[in-house]
């Protein structure tokens, strides 16, 4: 073990030394002449500070002090760019997206964690994966799975919906739903609930039944499940081992056999690494079992198994059928299928559950907005019934505005990163020191500041930092429309843009609207006596204090009909 650590130290030291010597004798590129903050550390540059869990003020300071594009210092003395310039973003994510690829570190991290899934592939492999997956995230699919989402959120008893099949009714009877479980706690006098915990359990079950055709959690009682806990703490845990992914990038050409890599990770003397290893092993093993089970069912024509959960309309069942019917060149190998499932679990749960928690956090201190939303939902229920259909739910103006504004002001992901695979030129809509086109050498990494893009006062106005859903109920500022931010959702970059945008954003929005409308109709949310903070991370999450690894957000919850 000592020799392994000494070897790693020697490689890193040599790498840093070479970069330093090269910097002494190489003319400064144009992009390095841009203004920017001083480096905090020669090893971690500004990146270390940007990704600290309490870095919200620092992130905002950089956007306000240095404008839309500035120089930053990356790991080991490398220099890069931080931008939220719409024209630069359009070049990176749309016009020149084949030039701007995912960074080596993000690819190595994704491959090390779950293999060749959507978050770790690029180029032709990524396009082939999206071609296969796009149809199962269509609007038609969203309409079909909306009833199953309601079944998870509501407690529905046999006999209330005679038009449904007995299989569906049995499903709704078997699962004690989120709303019922929370109501039981509230009526028992346990009014301070860990809302992010309940949202995590609900999101995992929604992903399970809607995407995987599998039930993770019956939501019967207030218990902690090991698998759910591993999924919920995955992104908080990742923040502690970023240095490991930096090492992977340095060693990417000398990886060695997979058994050796696994052995090195298992013996690595860092509790944070071991925590992530256990999480990854459990999630990946589940994905392997599920793919094997579903694949065998499809090959055998076992419709009973495929229809057991979600009546065979889940993403996994549809994907496997489509994959088997696809041509040889379009078909996804099993390794990629397993990686997609593991990716769906970790990426689909935290982002949506924490966005829901953020919305309830905001509404808990804005009772007038909460009451306005409740009134809209209850009115819709009078017209359409307790389960508002997909099209009508999507069209509720204030619910849509609340979701849009929450995601604009508080995107789940604060940054995305790209690297130039060849020398290129980056255009700017706002010149820096008179420069409106920056020459960028091959290998330079650009960090996109999503939070700053979504709160740019030059576009959104002086109230850009304020949560104001009404901005979506009137025409947006002309500057926002003309900026043409290259995102796929609500004139923002919250779900990314281009060929690497979030493929499941419609799924996420449906989850958010079904859960939020159902809970607001039944419960009132207020701040509790237990404080919490939001941590900046790969996916922002709440805890009792900065740096804690266990997500937690207690709110006071009361039943509306009992208040």
């Amino acid at each position: 073990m000592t020799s392994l650590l000494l070897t790693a130290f020697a490689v890193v030291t040599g790498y840093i030394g070479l970069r330093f010597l090269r910097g002494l004798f190489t003319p400064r590129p144009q992009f390095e002449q841009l203004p920017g903050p001083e480096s905090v550390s020669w090893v971690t540059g500004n990146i270390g500070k940007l990704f600290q869990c309490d870095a919200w003020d620092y992130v905002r300071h950089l956007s306000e002090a240095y404008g839309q594009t500035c120089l930053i210092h990356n790991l080991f003395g490398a220099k890069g760019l931080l931008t939220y310039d719409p024209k630069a973003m359009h070049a990176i994510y749309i016009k020149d997206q084949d030039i701007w690829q995912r960074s080596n570190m993000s690819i190595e991290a994704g491959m090390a964690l779950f293999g060749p899934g959507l978050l770790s592939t690029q180029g032709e492999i990524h396009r082939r994966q999206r071609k296969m997956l796009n149809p199962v995230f269509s609007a038609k699919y969203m309409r079909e799975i909306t009833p199953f989402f309601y079944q998870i959120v509501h407690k529905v008893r046999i006999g209330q919906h005679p038009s449904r099949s007995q299989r569906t009714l049995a499903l709704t009877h078997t699962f004690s739903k989120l709303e019922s479980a929370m109501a039981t706690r509230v009526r028992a006098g346990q009014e301070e609930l860990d809302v992010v915990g309940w949202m995590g359990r609900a999101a995992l079950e929604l992903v399970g039944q809607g995407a995987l055709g599998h039930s993770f959690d019956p939501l019967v009682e207030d218990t902690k499940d090991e698998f759910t806990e591993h999924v919920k703490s995955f992104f908080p845990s990742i923040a502690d081992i970023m240095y490991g992914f930096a090492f992977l990038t340095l060693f990417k050409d000398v990886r060695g056999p997979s058994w050796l890599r696994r052995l090195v990770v298992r013996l690595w003397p860092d509790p944070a690494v071991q925590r992530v290893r256990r999480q990854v092993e459990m999630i990946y093993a589940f994905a392997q079992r599920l793919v094997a089970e579903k694949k065998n069912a499809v090959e055998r024509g076992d419709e009973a198994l495929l229809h057991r959960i979600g009546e065979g309309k889940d993403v996994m069942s549809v994907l496997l059928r489509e994959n088997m019917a696809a041509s040889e060149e379009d078909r996804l190998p099993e390794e990629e299928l397993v990686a997609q499932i593991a990716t769906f679990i970790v990426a689909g749960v935290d982002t949506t559950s924490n966005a829901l928690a953020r919305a309830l956090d905001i509404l808990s201190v804005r009772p007038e907005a909460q009451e306005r939303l409740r009134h809209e939902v209850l009115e819709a229920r009078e017209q359409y019934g307790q389960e508002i259909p997909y099209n009508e739910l999507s069209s509720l103006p204030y619910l849509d505005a609340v979701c849009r504004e929450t995601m604009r002001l508080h995107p789940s992901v604060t940054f995305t990163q790209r690297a130039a695979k060849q020398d290129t030129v980056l255009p700017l809509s706002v010149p820096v020191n008179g420069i409106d086109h920056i020459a960028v050498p091959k290998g330079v990494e650009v960090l996109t500041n999503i939070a700053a893009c979504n709160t740019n006062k030059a576009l959104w106005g002086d109230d850009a930092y304020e949560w104001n859903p009404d901005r979506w109920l009137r025409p947006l500022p002309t500057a926002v429309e003309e900026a043409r931010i290259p995102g796929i959702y609500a004139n923002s970059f919250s779900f990314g843009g281009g060929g690497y945008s979030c493929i499941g954003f419609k799924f996420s929005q449906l989850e958010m609207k079904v859960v939020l409308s159902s809970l607001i109709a039944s419960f009132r949310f207020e701040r509790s006596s237990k404080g919490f903070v939001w941590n900046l991370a790969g996916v922002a999450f709440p805890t009792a204090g900065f740096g804690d690894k266990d997500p937690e957000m207690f709110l006071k919850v009361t039943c509306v009909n009992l208040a």
Side-chain angles (χ1 to χ4, degrees):
M1 178 54 63
T2 302
S3 61
L4 177 65
L5 292 175
L6 288 174
T7 301
F9 177 77
V11 170
V12 172
T13 303
Y15 176 80
I16 293 172
L18 286 174
R19 291 196 64 91
F20 178 75
L21 291 173
R22 187 174 65 181
L24 290 178
F25 300 103
T26 305
R28 291 180 69 199
Q30 182 191 35
F31 83 96
E32 290 191 14
Q33 300 171 31
L34 298 180
E38 293 293 325
S39 177
V40 178
S41 161
W42 205 86
V43 176
T44 61
N46 301 111
I47 294 294
K49 189 169 182 179
L50 272 173
F51 285 93
Q52 288 179 354
C53 58
D54 59 350
W56 301 109
D57 290 341
Y58 183 64
V59 172
R60 181 172 292 186
H61 162 72
L62 292 187
S63 67
E64 293 178 343
Y66 298 101
Q68 295 190 18
T69 305
C70 70
L71 180 73
I72 58 170
H73 302 269
N74 290 328
L75 299 174
F76 310 130
K79 294 179 176 63
L81 292 171
L82 176 67
T83 188
Y84 59 99
D85 185 294
K87 198 169 184 178
M89 291 169 62
H90 184 271
I92 294 169
Y93 295 95
I94 306 293
K95 179 175 175 290
D96 298 325
Q97 62 178 297
D98 288 335
I99 294 175
W100 292 96
Q101 297 286 309
R102 286 171 165 160
S103 68
N104 286 334
M105 191 166 91
S106 64
I107 293 172
E108 292 299 319
M111 290 295 293
L113 292 170
F114 295 119
L118 280 174
L119 296 182
S120 54
T121 57
Q122 55 188 350
E124 189 54 41
I125 295 176
H126 187 86
R127 281 189 283 271
R128 175 170 50 81
Q129 291 178 349
R130 288 188 76 99
K131 179 181 178 181
M132 180 64 66
L133 291 165
N134 273 327
V136 297
F137 286 104
S138 65
K140 177 179 180 293
Y141 171 74
M142 293 301 116
R143 280 191 290 272
E144 290 178 347
I145 65 170
T146 300
F148 296 101
F149 279 15
Y150 279 116
Q151 291 166 14
I152 295 168
V153 177
H154 298 306
K155 180 179 181 181
V156 183
R157 296 185 184 278
I158 291 179
Q160 289 182 329
H161 298 280
S163 62
R164 292 187 181 168
S165 67
Q166 281 297 305
R167 180 168 55 243
T168 302
L169 291 173
L171 172 69
T172 62
H173 181 69
T174 301
F175 294 107
S176 178
K177 305 301 180 261
L178 175 71
E179 185 180 345
S180 175
M182 288 181 63
T184 300
R185 290 286 312 278
V186 170
R187 290 191 178 98
Q190 300 166 307
E191 296 183 350
E192 291 194 352
L193 302 185
D194 179 11
V195 171
V196 76
W198 282 103
M199 294 305 97
R201 293 176 66 183
L204 183 60
E205 186 65 3
L206 288 166
V207 167
Q209 293 204 34
L212 308 179
H214 176 84
S215 177
F216 288 99
D217 187 347
L219 298 171
V220 172
E221 55 189 31
D222 191 12
T223 58
K224 289 192 175 183
D225 172 74
E226 184 182 14
F227 187 86
T228 306
E229 291 301 301
H230 277 318
V231 172
K232 280 298 298 172
S233 60
F234 177 77
F235 281 109
S237 301
I238 288 294
D240 286 340
I241 63 167
M242 294 307 294
Y243 74 91
F245 299 133
F247 283 145
L248 284 176
T249 302
L250 297 180
F251 287 110
K252 66 185 179 68
D253 295 325
V254 286
R255 288 179 179 172
S258 58
W259 67 264
L260 178 60
R261 298 197 303 272
R262 287 194 295 269
L263 179 62
V264 170
V265 172
R266 186 170 288 275
L267 296 177
W268 199 264
D270 184 345
V273 170
Q274 297 309 312
R275 176 172 174 162
V276 173
R277 178 186 62 79
R278 289 190 295 271
Q279 292 167 348
V280 168
E281 286 179 351
M282 176 173 278
I283 295 168
Y284 194 81
F286 167 79
Q288 285 181 308
R289 290 196 304 272
L290 186 63
V291 168
E293 179 185 78
K294 292 274 188 176
K295 187 177 178 181
N296 289 336
V298 171
E299 290 173 344
R300 295 195 312 267
D302 188 348
E303 293 298 314
L305 176 60
L306 291 175
H307 286 228
R308 189 174 61 193
I309 302 293
E311 296 192 346
K313 296 176 181 178
D314 59 276
V315 172
M316 186 68 188
S317 297
V318 175
L319 173 60
L320 284 175
R321 283 193 289 258
E322 292 291 325
N323 196 53
M324 293 181 69
S327 61
E328 189 66 34
E329 61 268 20
D330 289 334
R331 195 172 299 162
L332 303 183
E334 186 162 323
E335 180 188 28
E336 292 182 25
L337 288 173
V338 173
Q340 306 309 340
I341 300 311
T343 299
F344 287 158
I345 294 171
V346 298
V349 172
D350 255 16
T351 50
T352 304
S353 64
N354 291 353
L356 276 165
R358 179 77 82 165
L360 293 174
D361 170 20
I362 293 169
L363 291 169
S364 73
V365 294
R366 290 172 173 81
E368 70 292 340
Q370 187 177 158
E371 191 56 40
R372 183 176 170 184
L373 179 59
R374 183 175 296 113
H375 178 74
E376 179 181 80
V377 171
L378 292 177
E379 261 196 352
R381 281 187 170 188
E382 288 182 4
Q383 185 174 356
Y384 302 111
Q386 192 176 36
E387 297 183 6
I388 306 169
Y390 172 77
N391 288 343
E392 288 69 22
L393 182 71
S394 300
S395 301
L396 293 182
Y398 197 63
L399 174 61
D400 187 59
V402 166
C403 292
R404 286 172 180 253
E405 185 67 351
T406 301
M407 294 304 298
R408 179 194 71 85
L409 191 59
H410 301 290
S412 298
V413 177
T414 307
F415 301 106
T416 56
Q417 195 169 26
R418 293 291 182 268
K421 67 182 290 190
Q422 66 186 57
D423 293 349
T424 187
V425 175
L426 192 63
L428 302 178
S429 58
V430 178
V432 181
N433 293 342
I435 303 172
D436 60 4
H437 285 76
I438 303 174
V440 181
K442 177 183 178 180
V444 169
E445 296 184 357
V446 174
L447 202 62
T448 302
N449 190 337
I450 299 174
C453 170
N454 291 357
T455 56
N456 184 353
K457 287 188 177 182
L459 303 183
W460 295 95
D462 291 337
D463 68 342
Y465 293 150
E466 298 174 18
W467 187 82
N468 178 17
D470 283 318
R471 75 173 77 246
W472 299 99
L473 303 179
R474 55 178 182 257
L476 291 175
T478 302
V480 173
E481 299 286 358
E482 292 179 348
R484 297 182 180 178
I485 295 166
I488 58 173
Y489 173 75
N491 298 84
S492 71
F493 208 67
S494 299
F495 289 96
Y500 298 96
S501 59
C502 176
I503 196 171
F505 86 96
K506 291 180 182 177
F507 189 97
S508 174
Q509 281 301 292
L510 177 59
E511 283 185 75
M512 197 167 177
K513 288 184 177 181
V514 168
V515 175
L516 193 57
S517 62
S518 299
L519 294 186
I520 285 296
S522 300
F523 303 106
R524 181 171 289 107
F525 296 87
E526 302 169 274
R527 281 293 172 87
S528 79
S529 59
K530 299 179 181 180
F532 56 88
V533 297
W534 283 87
N535 295 261
L536 192 154
V539 175
F541 64 98
T543 56
F546 283 120
D548 292 349
K549 298 306 171 190
D550 296 320
E552 174 185 300
M553 191 188 88
F554 281 86
L555 292 179
K556 182 180 179 182
V557 184
T558 55
C559 291
V560 171
N561 60 347
L562 296 181

